[in-house]
Amino acid sequence: MKQDPDQTSRSSLLPRLSVTRPVTVTMCLIGLLVIGIVAYNRISIQARAPGNDPDWFWVDVPQENATVQERYNDIALPLEQHMKTLKDLRNIWAFAGNPWAGVEVEFRPGTDMDLAYNRVSDRSERAKLELPEEVRDKIKVWKWNPDQAEVLWTGLSVPDHIQNKEKYIQAHVMDPIERIDGVAKTEIYGIERKEVIIWVDQEKLRAHGIETFELVESLRRDNFALAGGYVQEGGKRYYVRSLAHYQSLDEIQNVPIRSKKSEKEIRLKDVAQIIHDSLPRERVWRVDGQKNLGFDVYKTSGVNIVDLCERVVAKMEEIEASTDVEFRIFYSEGKMISDSMGNLRNTGLWGGLFAALILLFFLRAFRMTALITLSIPLCVMITVTVLYFMGWTLNLLTMMGLMVGVGMVVDNAIVIVENIYRYRAKGEKPHEASIKGASEVGLAITMATLTTVVVFLPMILMNDSFYMKYLLSKIGMPVVFALVGSLFVALLFIPLAAKRFGGSVVKADPKSIRWSRDGYRRALSWVMNHRRDTFLVVALLFATIWYPVEKVKFT
């Protein structure tokens, strides 16, 4: 088939390559689909987009048997003095309550929070010497981390006939779930743990001349485990270890209490009551009015939360079938993500369907509409592939960007297909019509796409607010990738598809379209012939906009 050399030289590279190299273009399409499917199946799905670490820390110190004012003066104020020297510090607050005291430090946006965490830990170590001795080893620097939040929060019911519930839960619930790949740890709340409780009678202590610290030291000296080295004999080495742990309540009751003021031998049971019981509970877990336990599951970093929650729930169902325990799931981050993603996905599908119906209404050609609609899944696939190789995740923000781009990616394909069909209506063969139609408007749609893409760059790169830059980048970059992908699809794949599947008959425009075109032509002719009147009308329209712009409220 011979082509006009002038027309061939004027044709754009991608449309000409699309039509003249169909095998190459088809293989590129298949490769893109394969990579896109792999990327979609492997990309991590999360509720929150990573990279927005909070710019604050809490330094907490627990202290029992002290007033709030004492905690504030002895703990919060010394910590505040040391934290004031931190670099990039924005705000600092000292607080005290029951039974906590500490400070909250906030850093400027854009601060390296890993480095800031090390600096806060260093200041906490320096402040130890100024704190009460009993709390120096209890300082905790806390920062919020999505990986530290539970992905499953459930209620756990265990029958009353099980005596040692803690051991039973550890063996039949916690261990099987923690063996699941992706589970970092599990925690149980509300279980009654029995402990040895010593109720000291202060009157008897004073009568025997014994100080409280002497009683505590006596208990510490009689309860220990100490390595004693090793003994080597006959080529064998025997390790020696001294074990002096209490084995029963009788041993604890008969512990001798040594006092500097009295030489009389006093036993612990003479000055205290020793019992093995549960401590008074400050919290009670109930579900439907019945005693229950709280059970949380935590994930490892980078795991697919949806897949992990599904596997954990399946394991819980197996445990319920083989044991007497019962789970009640109150919160599942995986289900929340699935529901949110499902809503966004359905929104995108409905948006694509409505776009296709509108195109079908105006074009009145099913094949032509199908060609244009084909660009939507292709552009989404390209965007997901780019996000995967960038190390991003599919989350609520990036999915919002994809949904915004769904209605924009068909613009380039509409222009290309409409121009190709215009040449087909003039009698051009499918081969020449695809090249001429795509090449003629290729530069125009390229400029239009780039001007839309450029709009997002100032908002992403030049915004002084870290949070605004973060939100705009997570939402705007998927739109940018979708638009660039739509340009690539329109210039490379649409011409070949129009040639192969465009059909041989080009339908005439319906009466409504012809009437709209004639009306537009008459309006345009009037504007060109009455330029002064047009300028006055435009100026009047701008004047009517001024008043609402001045009165609108900015928040």
Side-chain angles (χ1 to χ4, degrees), residues 126-197:
R126 296 183 188 181
K128 276 186 176 182
L129 296 178
E130 300 182 22
L131 302 182
E133 184 177 357
E134 67 270 17
V135 302
R136 290 178 182 175
D137 295 330
K138 299 180 181 180
I139 301 177
K140 180 181 179 181
V141 180
W142 190 87
K143 67 175 180 178
W144 185 83
N145 187 345
D147 293 331
Q148 295 176 351
E150 64 272 10
V151 295
L152 273 171
W153 174 34
T154 72
L156 178 62
S157 176
V158 183
D160 293 333
H161 65 79
I162 297 176
Q163 297 296 326
N164 194 338
K165 293 185 178 181
E166 184 176 7
K167 185 177 180 180
Y168 184 86
I169 293 172
Q170 183 69 44
H172 294 86
V173 178
M174 299 179 72
D175 288 345
I177 292 180
E178 288 180 354
R179 284 194 289 266
I180 297 176
D181 186 28
V183 175
K185 65 175 181 177
T186 60
E187 289 188 358
I188 192 77
Y189 303 96
I191 195 167
E192 295 184 7
R193 294 183 174 90
K194 290 190 174 182
E195 300 179 359
V196 176
I197 304 173

Side-chain angles (χ1 to χ4, degrees), residues 436-485:
K436 291 180 181 179
S439 299
E440 186 176 44
V441 295
L443 181 61
I445 65 171
T446 301
M447 294 299 101
T449 302
L450 292 181
T451 53
T452 307
V453 168
V454 168
V455 170
F456 289 93
L457 295 183
M459 295 188 294
I460 296 173
L461 302 178
M462 301 179 186
N463 202 301
D464 294 333
S465 173
F466 172 78
Y467 296 107
M468 287 298 296
K469 185 186 299 183
Y470 170 80
L471 292 174
L472 291 173
S473 64
K474 296 300 181 182
I475 297 176
M477 291 308 293
V479 178
V480 171
F481 299 147
L483 290 177
V484 175

